[in-house]
Amino acid sequence: MKLETRQTTGSFKLRGVSNTLLLSGQTAKGFVAASTGNHARALAYAAQQMGKPCVVCMSKLVPENKISAVRALGADIKIVGSSQDDAQQEVDRLVLSEGFLPVPPFDDKRVIAGQGTIALEILEDRPEVDTLLVPLSGGGLAGGVAMAAKSVKPSIRVIGVSMEKGAAMAASLQAGKPVVVTEEPTLADSLGGGIGIPNHYTFNLCQTYLDDIILLTEEEISAGISHAYWQEQKIVEGAGAVGIAALLAGKVRPSGTVAVVVSGRNIDMALHQKLVSEYQKI
């Protein structure tokens, strides 16, 4: 398991955000982004470290625990609409009106490169890995990891894992082009949102480098969260648990060494307690 849960802000997102701000943020007036939670948390933290203002636009589907955590880091939160696309429209307005630097959550070269460092670290530590399971949302993580992994080890198999409810990248790849998908409530809330139309980088990366995509039911994701807690003593959010869940459900049957990217821990703890308690009773 590649435990991105141990990052300062609880998820892998700090990699891409830090890379972007180091490369482009020194002269910026401030920063703005749309996010389902973890990207916002990373951006708020990094902006605070630089002493610059940060505005985060979120839809009303984002869980309250993630909103509170971002606000606690000093970001100005704007709740806009019912989807990531609605929130992005407010970002675009703020870029024009306030002159803030936009920090995209996934479809950006600097962000993708930052996320790809995960694959380099995995293969440095465990070069024998044959299969990588990576959470799939907008494709910054999955696309960056897959491209980096295959640049080091072309034979490695990289599988993107998402939820059945509103998996925008999976639907887009099936359609052969970016498409709009209705965003729905899910335990894997960090994987929600569209991939952007047009999409500049991540659709092509996922189309080129991912070997397969697996979609999970809410019950399977819940089992992944609970297994991580009871068997691995790890607190993992739904999006972070999808690789574990895919193995538990038998939807991946690898023959060699498998690495699972456990992407984040930022779950509402009352929900976590409910899920793991119910799982223990089964």
Side-chain angles (χ1 to χ4, degrees):
M1 293 188 296
K2 180 62 168 167
L3 295 175
E4 292 298 295
T5 52
R6 299 181 68 179
Q7 294 283 1
T8 301
T9 57
S11 86
F12 74 97
K13 289 287 191 177
L14 196 56
R15 294 174 182 265
V17 164
S18 297
N19 194 45
T20 303
L21 267 58
L22 285 170
L23 290 173
S24 308
Q26 301 300 325
T27 60
K29 178 182 175 183
F31 308 105
V32 62
S35 174
T36 54
N38 286 336
H39 178 67
R41 198 165 182 164
L43 181 59
Y45 174 84
Q48 186 183 66
Q49 297 299 301
M50 295 181 72
K52 296 192 176 186
C54 171
V55 178
V56 174
C57 303
M58 297 175 160
S59 84
K60 62 185 180 183
L61 292 180
V62 175
E64 181 56 40
N65 71 296
K66 293 191 174 182
I67 295 172
S68 299
V70 175
R71 187 175 285 118
L73 288 168
D76 179 13
I77 307 294
K78 295 185 180 295
I79 305 299
V80 184
S82 301
S83 71
Q84 186 84 331
D85 291 336
D86 291 340
Q88 183 59 47
Q89 289 180 11
E90 180 64 10
V91 169
D92 296 340
R93 188 189 70 79
L94 288 169
V95 169
L96 292 174
S97 64
E98 302 296 331
F100 281 12
L101 177 73
V103 184
F106 54 87
D107 196 29
D108 181 277
K109 289 181 179 180
R110 301 158 298 181
V111 171
I112 294 164
Q115 322 305 27
T117 58
I118 292 172
L120 303 183
E121 291 174 8
I122 289 172
L123 290 173
E124 182 179 5
D125 288 345
R126 299 295 297 270
E128 73 276 18
V129 167
D130 299 303
T131 303
L132 264 173
L133 300 183
V134 189
L136 176 63
S137 180
L141 174 61
V145 164
M147 178 176 60
K150 287 178 182 281
S151 72
V152 175
K153 187 176 182 178
S155 64
I156 198 168
R157 190 164 180 246
V158 185
I159 300 173
V161 190
S162 197
M163 65 287 179
E164 288 185 350
K165 299 171 67 174
M169 183 61 80
S172 297
L173 291 171
Q174 185 175 25
K177 62 180 181 179
V179 297
V180 175
V181 174
T182 301
E183 198 169 334
E184 300 182 55
T186 171
L187 289 174
D189 54 88
S190 293
L191 302 184
I195 70 167
I197 299 174
N199 178 285
H200 301 289
Y201 306 109
T202 60
F203 175 80
N204 288 332
L205 285 175
C206 290
Q207 189 176 53
T208 301
Y209 292 107
L210 288 182
D211 294 289
D212 198 5
I213 293 174
I214 290 168
L215 301 181
L216 301 170
T217 67
E218 295 300 294
E219 292 75 18
E220 289 166 342
I221 296 169
S222 177
I225 294 169
S226 298
H227 178 92
Y229 181 76
W230 291 113
Q231 302 302 321
E232 307 291 348
Q233 293 80 51
K234 301 290 185 293
I235 293 175
V236 180
E237 64 182 278
V242 294
I244 297 170
L247 289 168
L248 288 176
K251 291 185 173 180
V252 180
R253 299 183 183 277
S255 57
T257 304
V258 182
V260 178
V261 177
V262 183
S263 57
R265 68 169 185 255
N266 298 321
I267 188 171
D268 179 87
M269 291 308 297
L271 172 61
H272 186 272
Q273 181 182 35
K274 178 176 183 291
L275 295 174
V276 300
S277 297
E278 290 175 351
Y279 186 79
Q280 189 181 31
K281 296 175 184 177
I282 297 175

